[in-house]
């Protein structure tokens, strides 16, 4: 299995630009999670989906952030407009039993907003 | 509010020197406690899940244990390749999200 796939691996953009991060979960997994990791706040859950439906988006910082999961094999996290404080590593993870069990993480996208 | 506290923040050991990492959590309603390993520039790698007090799991030089209010990750005779940040996370009934601690950065000196 290829594991969770994320793209791009690195993204550098200017403040005010739109950023789209992409994730392909492990085939057969029905839950998908988006996390953000910073030195100050550690690893934080932003949003998660079960069977392509958003279940908990309470971790999404503000309206500039949005996430979609149009099908079982693809999800996007969009930031519009981006700000320097959004600079972080964004991880996608998937699990096979509704999130009650272990989650498998992708390699992450390192986002730098200048 | 869910709380997960890991200690120490950083730990340096000589190769072969055994030790333990601690993860304490808010007591009520635990569904599962998870241990992950994270290498620099990579995503967290799943190690163990523990579900009930008294449970233990082992993998190579690592053993995870769980009590009613904390978990320990014991590292026996570590090698330099065990150097990484070790994260614990908890999941409570009624909410499927994982709440992570801030991790213990482990360095094994040859």
């Amino acid at each position: 299995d290829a594991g969770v796939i994320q793209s791009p691996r690195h993204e550098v953009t200017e403040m005010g630009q739109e950023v789209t991060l992409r994730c392909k979960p492990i085939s057969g997994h029905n839950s998908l999670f988006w996390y953000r990791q910073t030195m100050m706040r550690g690893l934080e859950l932003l949003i998660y989906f079960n069977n392509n439906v958003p279940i908990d988006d309470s971790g999404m910082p503000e309206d500039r952030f949005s996430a979609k999961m149009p099908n079982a094999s693809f999800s996007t996290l969009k930031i519009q407009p981006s700000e320097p404080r959004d600079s972080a590593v964004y991880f996608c993870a998937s699990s096979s039993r509704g999130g009650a069990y272990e989650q498998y993480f992708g390699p992450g996208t390192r986002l730098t907003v200048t | 509010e869910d709380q997960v506290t890991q200690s120490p923040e950083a730990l340096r050991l000589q190769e072969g020197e055994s030790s333990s990492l601690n993860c304490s959590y808010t007591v009520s309603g635990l569904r599962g406690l998870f241990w992950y390993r994270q290498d620099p520039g990579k995503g967290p790698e799943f190690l163990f899940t523990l579900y009930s007090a008294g449970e233990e799991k082992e993998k190579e030089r690592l053993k995870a244990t769980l009590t009613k209010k904390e978990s320990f990750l014991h590292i026996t005779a570590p090698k330099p390749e065990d150097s990484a940040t070790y994260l614990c996370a908890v999941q409570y009934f009624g909410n499927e999200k994982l709440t992570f601690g801030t991790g213990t950065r482990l360095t094994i000196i040859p």
Side-chain angles (χ1 to χ4, degrees):
Chain A
D1 199 320
V4 176
I5 298 172
Q6 292 187 246
S7 65
R9 294 294 311 277
H10 302 273
E11 177 81 34
V12 180
T13 191
E14 292 183 349
M15 183 174 63
Q17 296 299 306
E18 177 179 297
V19 175
T20 300
L21 311 182
R22 296 173 176 80
C23 175
K24 177 178 170 57
I26 293 172
S27 178
H29 282 190
N30 63 346
S31 294
L32 183 140
F33 305 80
W34 282 102
Y35 291 87
R36 178 171 67 177
Q37 188 173 41
T38 62
M39 289 294 292
M40 291 294 295
R41 299 177 64 89
L43 197 59
E44 302 175 288
L45 178 70
L46 300 177
I47 185 172
Y48 80 90
F49 296 83
N50 276 351
N51 297 317
N52 313 337
V53 176
I55 302 299
D56 183 349
D57 65 355
S58 60
M60 296 285 263
E62 48 198 271
D63 292 345
R64 298 184 298 106
F65 285 68
S66 63
K68 294 182 179 180
M69 192 164 186
N71 58 62
S73 59
F74 183 67
S75 178
T76 59
L77 178 68
K78 184 177 293 185
I79 308 172
Q80 166 63 21
S82 58
E83 297 182 2
R85 60 190 167 127
D86 301 329
S87 297
V89 181
Y90 291 81
F91 289 104
C92 176
S94 70
S95 70
S96 64
R97 284 184 280 186
Y101 300 91
E102 59 265 20
Q103 298 176 16
Y104 295 89
F105 283 74
T109 296
R110 180 173 295 278
L111 174 65
T112 303
V113 183
T114 61
Chain B
E1 182 181 331
D2 298 342
Q3 290 269 342
V4 183
T5 304
Q6 290 190 248
S7 62
E9 289 187 10
L11 182 63
R12 291 171 63 89
L13 299 172
Q14 293 290 329
E15 183 173 1
E17 180 185 1
S18 302
S19 188
S20 297
L21 314 182
N22 178 264
C23 173
S24 62
Y25 59 92
T26 306
V27 176
S28 62
L30 182 75
R31 173 185 274 169
L33 185 140
F34 301 76
W35 282 99
Y36 285 82
R37 167 188 172 131
Q38 186 173 25
D39 293 295
K42 296 189 176 182
E45 175 189 349
F46 171 74
L47 293 173
F48 306 109
T49 309
L50 302 166
Y51 294 105
S52 57
E55 188 175 1
E56 298 183 353
K57 289 192 177 174
E58 289 188 64
K59 180 179 179 180
E60 296 181 355
R61 294 175 292 281
L62 300 176
K63 182 170 77 172
T65 62
L66 183 65
T67 72
K68 287 186 177 179
K69 55 181 181 179
E70 59 190 347
S71 176
F72 293 94
L73 185 65
H74 306 279
I75 302 175
T76 302
K79 299 181 178 181
E81 54 261 42
D82 295 321
S83 297
T85 296
Y86 290 86
L87 299 165
C88 77
V90 297
Q91 186 181 64
Y92 292 98
F93 289 105
N95 191 330
E96 296 183 18
K97 73 176 186 179
L98 291 183
T99 300
F100 280 84
T102 52
T104 294
R105 188 172 66 254
L106 178 66
T107 304
I108 307 301
I109 304 163

